[in-house]
Each structure stands twice: as C-alpha cells, then as structure tokens.
Amino acid sequence: MSKKNAETRQIKIILLGESGVGKTCIINRYFENKFSADTESTLGSYSTTKTIVKNKIKYIVDIWDTTGQEKYHSITNLYIKGSNIVILVYSIDSKSTFDKLNYWYDSVKDKIEGDDYVLAVVGSKYDLFESEEVPDEEAKSWADSIGAIFQFTSAKSNSGIDLLFENLARKYFNPNFDYKKQ
Ligand code: GTP
C-alpha cells in the first residue's frame, strides 16, 4: 500500500476527574517529560494531537485534557462522547476525588453508547503514599468491577505513566489483553 493510500483512523482519549488530581501533569509528563509543581487549573477542555503508525495504519490520537472544576462539569461532559479511551483519575491523598469517580463513570456510560471503549482508573500522585486516603484494594476492586485497567502514577517522580499508556494501547489493539498478566 502506498503512503498516499494508507488507512487513517482517529483515536480519542479523554482524562476525567476532579480539579487538582493531576490530569494535566500526567499528559505533560507523558508527552513532554516535564513536571510543574504549580500548574494552572485547566479552563475548559484542550486536546493535543499525536500521530502513530501501526501495521501500516495511521492513527491520529487526540488526547483531551478536561477541567475538573465543578462549574465546568456540564461542558466537560460534552467532550466525553466519541471517546475510545477514557482515563478516570483520582488523587491517592484525597478520598473525595476517588468517591467522585462514580459521577464521572456514570457520565461516561451516559455519553458513550455500548462498551466499545477502553477504560482506566488512575491513582495519581503516588509519591504522596504516606498521605494515602484510599485503600489500594478498594480502588483496585472498583476498577475491576467496571472492567478498567488500574494504575498508580506519579507525574512528579515519573512513575507508572508510560506503563499506563502502554497498557491502554495494548488493550485498545487487543481487547483480550489482561494487564494483570504482564
Ligand atoms: P484541573 O485542571 O483543575 O482539573 O486539575 P488537574 O487534574 O489537571 O491537575 P494538575 O495536573 O493541574 O495538578 C494539580 C496540582 O497537583 C499541581 O500543583 C501539580 O503540581 C500537582 N501534581 C500533579 N501531579 C502530581 C504528582 O504526581 N505528585 C505530586 N506530589 N503533585 C502532583
């Protein structure tokens, strides 16, 4: 197949979760390998686009960073539709951000028909484990119950983020992929 005729597909990834849980920092760490201790809260929703080629297919990947601010929830909800990969983020030092993931998960089920998308639950800011408020088992078993990949990450100490995106890609390209067997 010539490059000109190469098939092109679109992949939409969205990060959801309360304000301050670290969504922007996860994206910045993954794509620019940088971390800032004083990011501004995201106003609205923004996408970054990356292109990858796999098996001669060109994938245009749009990663949507959304704001967790309550006043923008209805706008954030508009961006969920059409997502192929959904990343639900809480901060391990804040139980309320974990509890709120039920709200975001309900929004996902409401906005995306069927279950043809890959889901992850992320326990962010793992470097703050000494202040952890969410029992690991509770978070992992909730992720299991909704069929999500579970991953701890720390954008600050750069851990878990590459693995998160690797496992999401594996699952996207192979729905039978079981991240626990890696
Ligand atoms: P909104 O845009 O308001 O929805 O917030 P957000 O979820 O995008 O959070 P953001 O990435 O802006 O991070 C919020 C704060 O948490 C910033 O001060 C970051 O420096 C801090 N932060 C993000 N990731 C980590 C982490 O892994 N560890 C620690 N200790 N702090 C982090």
Side-chain angles (χ1 to χ4, degrees):
M1 192 189 292
S2 74
K3 267 190 183 167
K4 201 172 159 197
N5 296 326
E7 190 180 337
T8 301
R9 292 187 201 161
Q10 203 96 19
I11 302 178
K12 179 176 177 182
I13 303 178
I14 192 164
L15 284 88
L16 299 168
E18 290 310 278
S19 184
V21 294
K23 301 179 295 296
T24 301
C25 287
I26 289 171
I27 292 174
N28 289 346
R29 175 59 85 187
Y30 189 64
F31 291 104
E32 294 168 46
N33 198 19
K34 65 182 191 192
F35 174 76
S36 165
D38 55 358
T39 51
E40 300 279 324
S41 182
T42 307
L43 294 176
S45 301
Y46 298 94
S47 75
T48 310
T49 301
K50 300 280 161 193
T51 302
I52 54 169
V53 178
K54 187 176 162 64
N55 297 336
K56 296 185 181 162
I57 300 172
K58 184 173 160 189
Y59 293 90
I60 298 173
V61 187
D62 290 320
I63 302 107
W64 284 88
D65 184 14
T66 63
T67 177
Q69 288 185 50
E70 187 121 21
K71 63 182 173 182
Y72 295 115
H73 276 187
S74 54
I75 298 173
T76 299
N77 269 301
L78 296 176
Y79 289 91
I80 296 173
K81 201 171 173 186
S83 297
N84 307 103
I85 295 177
V86 178
I87 306 175
L88 301 174
V89 186
Y90 73 96
S91 178
I92 66 154
D93 65 334
S94 168
K95 179 75 162 69
S96 64
T97 66
F98 175 71
D99 294 339
K100 197 70 192 226
L101 290 188
N102 275 304
Y103 163 83
W104 291 110
Y105 180 55
D106 285 346
S107 298
V108 169
K109 283 190 296 179
D110 189 47
K111 296 283 182 295
I112 309 178
E113 276 178 39
D115 54 6
D116 193 17
Y117 57 93
V118 179
L119 194 58
V121 172
V122 167
S124 165
K125 307 192 189 180
Y126 197 60
D127 54 287
L128 301 179
F129 61 88
E130 284 177 359
S131 319
E132 190 170 19
E133 284 189 359
V134 185
D136 293 4
E137 281 318 310
E138 186 178 345
K140 286 177 184 171
S141 71
W142 185 68
D144 273 351
S145 73
I146 61 170
I149 288 171
F150 181 83
Q151 182 66 50
F152 287 118
T153 63
S154 169
K156 187 174 180 182
S157 58
N158 193 11
S159 64
I161 294 176
D162 287 348
L163 184 59
L164 168 69
F165 283 97
E166 274 165 31
N167 282 341
L168 283 168
R170 288 188 185 121
K171 179 110 181 162
Y172 177 81
F173 290 112
N174 172 16
N176 295 322
F177 168 75
D178 181 352
Y179 79 101
K180 288 186 190 161
K181 291 191 177 151
Q182 291 310 294

